[in-house]
Amino acid sequence: NAGVTQTPKFRILKIGQSMTLQCTQDMNHNYMYWYRQDPGMGLKLIYYSVGAGITDKGEVPNGYNVSRSTTEDFPLRLELAAPSQTSVYFCASSYSFGVQGSPRGEKLFFGSGTQLSVL
Amino acid sequence: KQEVTQIPAALSVPEGENLVLNCSFTDSAIYNLQWFRQDPGKGLTSLLLIQSSQREQTSGRLNASLDKSSGRSTLYIAASQPGDSATYLCAVVAGGTSYGKLTFGQGTILTVHP
């Protein structure tokens, strides 16, 4: 059971370039999330999805796009990379949320992260 | 706006000590609170999840308590070991939410030396 898998682990981009961060999970989780972590800071939510075909903005969505065509995959797209997007990106998933009596389903499982530098 | 603060920012203790990490949040209307562990270059691992109606959760040498009214949670680690060295993050989910938007603290860096 691989859990949440992110690729690539490291990437350096030039300003204005585009790239897609890949995320896939094999736990049949409905909910998926993208967070970013800046040095010495906590994580901030970029986008989230509550199921295939459904996505919504989090706290810091500007400069990013997502799609959710399958339950397993939740890629994050950077269209025009900027130095402010230099960060570590984490994908996460959970089975459910807001369902009474199933706290285990609300535990988030994280990928190992993608370290992105925009120069 | 919910803000989460963790104290201390860093902690260094000798092996075998019991220790307490603190987390405070500004809005007491939370849905749940989670404690995570983060190892360098790795993702986060969920340690304990406390629902808003609960007072504490235990897993092995870890015990997390929640006092919603005062906006505080503590993570107690008993008989610390060098393998416990990591960054510990707490995160809260706002009450009434229908998805897992976590608001994180900045973390406590724990070093347990032999």
Side-chain angles (χ1 to χ4, degrees), chain A residues 31 33 35 37 40-43 45 48 59 90 97-100 103 106-108 110-112, chain B residues 1 31-32 34 36 38 41-44 46 49 51 93 97-102 104-106:
Chain A
Y31 291 70
Y33 317 85
Y35 284 87
Q37 183 178 34
M41 306 291 287
L43 282 71
L45 182 66
Y48 69 98
E59 186 180 0
F90 290 100
F97 219 89
V99 178
Q100 292 299 319
E106 295 167 349
K107 267 193 170 183
L108 265 68
F110 281 80
S112 57
Chain B
K1 180 185 174 184
Y31 181 79
N32 68 30
Q34 293 191 47
F36 293 89
Q38 184 176 26
K42 302 281 182 66
L44 283 69
S46 180
L49 184 155
Q51 298 289 82
V93 177
T97 188
S98 60
Y99 66 97
K101 178 187 181 300
L102 276 64
F104 283 83
Q106 74 278 26

Side-chain angles (χ1 to χ4, degrees), chain B residues 19-39:
Chain B
L19 58 98
V20 173
L21 307 181
N22 297 293
C23 172
S24 62
F25 44 95
T26 55
D27 186 348
S28 62
I30 65 169
Y31 181 79
N32 68 30
L33 181 146
Q34 293 191 47
W35 281 94
F36 293 89
R37 168 185 174 136
Q38 184 176 26
D39 294 287

Side-chain angles (χ1 to χ4, degrees), chain B residues 50-65:
Chain B
I50 310 177
Q51 298 289 82
S52 60
S53 58
Q54 297 175 322
R55 298 283 294 181
E56 66 177 350
Q57 282 287 328
T58 298
S59 176
R61 295 183 293 109
L62 305 179
N63 176 277
S65 67

